[in-house]
Amino acid sequence: GGCRSPLPPPQPVCPPLKTKNQKKERAAALHQAQQEFGSVPHSFVFQRGRVGRNVRQLVTDLRRVMEPYTARALKV
Protein backbone atom coordinates (compact mmCIF):
# COMPACT_ATOMS: atom_id res chain seq x y z
CA GLY A 1 0.00 0.00 0.00
CA GLY A 2 0.85 3.67 -0.06
CA CYS A 3 2.04 5.90 2.71
CA ARG A 4 -0.96 7.55 4.42
CA SER A 5 -0.61 10.79 6.35
CA PRO A 6 -2.24 10.83 9.80
CA LEU A 7 -3.54 14.35 9.07
CA PRO A 8 -6.90 14.89 7.33
CA PRO A 9 -6.85 16.35 3.80
CA PRO A 10 -6.44 20.15 3.79
CA GLN A 11 -9.64 22.19 3.89
CA PRO A 12 -10.04 25.53 2.12
CA VAL A 13 -9.34 28.39 4.50
CA CYS A 14 -12.27 30.59 3.42
CA PRO A 15 -15.46 29.78 1.52
CA PRO A 16 -15.67 30.70 -2.16
CA LEU A 17 -16.71 34.31 -2.69
CA LYS A 18 -20.22 35.05 -3.91
CA THR A 19 -20.67 36.71 -7.24
CA LYS A 20 -22.41 40.05 -7.58
CA ASN A 21 -25.42 38.34 -9.16
CA GLN A 22 -25.76 35.88 -6.25
CA LYS A 23 -25.75 38.78 -3.77
CA LYS A 24 -28.46 40.60 -5.73
CA GLU A 25 -30.62 37.47 -5.98
CA ARG A 26 -30.29 36.76 -2.27
CA ALA A 27 -31.16 40.36 -1.35
CA ALA A 28 -34.19 40.27 -3.65
CA ALA A 29 -35.37 36.95 -2.19
CA LEU A 30 -34.95 38.26 1.37
CA HIS A 31 -36.90 41.41 0.52
CA GLN A 32 -39.68 39.33 -1.08
CA ALA A 33 -39.89 37.05 1.97
CA GLN A 34 -40.13 40.04 4.31
CA GLN A 35 -42.91 41.55 2.18
CA GLU A 36 -44.90 38.29 2.25
CA PHE A 37 -44.35 37.78 5.99
CA GLY A 38 -45.50 41.32 6.75
CA SER A 39 -48.74 40.94 4.79
CA VAL A 40 -49.80 37.73 6.57
CA PRO A 41 -51.96 38.25 9.68
CA HIS A 42 -50.22 37.51 12.97
CA SER A 43 -51.83 36.38 16.19
CA PHE A 44 -51.35 35.86 19.92
CA VAL A 45 -52.57 32.90 21.96
CA PHE A 46 -52.81 33.41 25.70
CA GLN A 47 -54.96 32.41 28.63
CA ARG A 48 -56.82 34.87 30.80
CA GLY A 49 -56.85 34.51 34.55
CA ARG A 50 -55.64 31.48 36.48
CA VAL A 51 -55.81 28.25 34.53
CA GLY A 52 -54.86 24.67 35.21
CA ARG A 53 -52.15 22.51 33.72
CA ASN A 54 -54.38 21.14 30.95
CA VAL A 55 -55.38 24.57 29.66
CA ARG A 56 -51.76 25.73 29.82
CA GLN A 57 -50.75 22.70 27.71
CA LEU A 58 -53.59 23.44 25.29
CA VAL A 59 -52.31 27.03 24.89
CA THR A 60 -48.79 25.72 24.17
CA ASP A 61 -50.10 23.21 21.64
CA LEU A 62 -52.22 25.84 19.90
CA ARG A 63 -49.21 28.16 19.61
CA ARG A 64 -47.23 25.36 17.96
CA VAL A 65 -50.07 24.66 15.52
CA MET A 66 -50.30 28.32 14.54
CA GLU A 67 -46.55 28.89 14.03
CA PRO A 68 -44.75 30.73 12.45
CA TYR A 69 -47.29 33.55 12.56
CA THR A 70 -47.94 33.31 16.30
CA ALA A 71 -45.67 34.40 19.14
CA ARG A 72 -44.23 31.27 20.77
CA ALA A 73 -43.50 32.83 24.17
CA LEU A 74 -45.08 35.99 25.54
CA LYS A 75 -43.62 37.91 28.45
CA VAL A 76 -45.71 40.40 30.39
Side-chain angles (χ1 to χ4, degrees), residues 43-45 59-60 63-64 67-75:
S43 60
F44 295 108
V45 177
V59 168
T60 304
R63 285 179 184 162
R64 285 201 186 117
E67 281 182 355
Y69 304 111
T70 300
R72 190 176 311 156
L74 298 174
K75 294 191 180 181

Side-chain angles (χ1 to χ4, degrees), residues 2-73:
C3 176
R4 292 192 171 226
S5 170
L7 298 174
Q11 297 292 325
V13 176
C14 56
L17 298 174
K18 291 183 180 172
T19 64
K20 197 179 224 183
N21 196 29
Q22 284 174 320
K23 288 180 185 178
K24 282 184 183 177
E25 287 178 5
R26 184 177 177 106
L30 183 63
H31 181 69
Q32 178 71 20
Q34 287 176 341
Q35 290 287 337
E36 290 173 6
F37 185 76
S39 65
V40 175
H42 300 292
S43 60
F44 295 108
V45 177
F46 55 92
Q47 73 272 357
R48 296 191 54 180
R50 293 180 56 130
V51 295
R53 184 175 42 196
N54 292 333
V55 174
R56 208 170 300 132
Q57 184 62 48
L58 182 63
V59 168
T60 304
D61 292 343
L62 195 56
R63 285 179 184 162
R64 285 201 186 117
V65 167
M66 295 177 71
E67 281 182 355
Y69 304 111
T70 300
R72 190 176 311 156

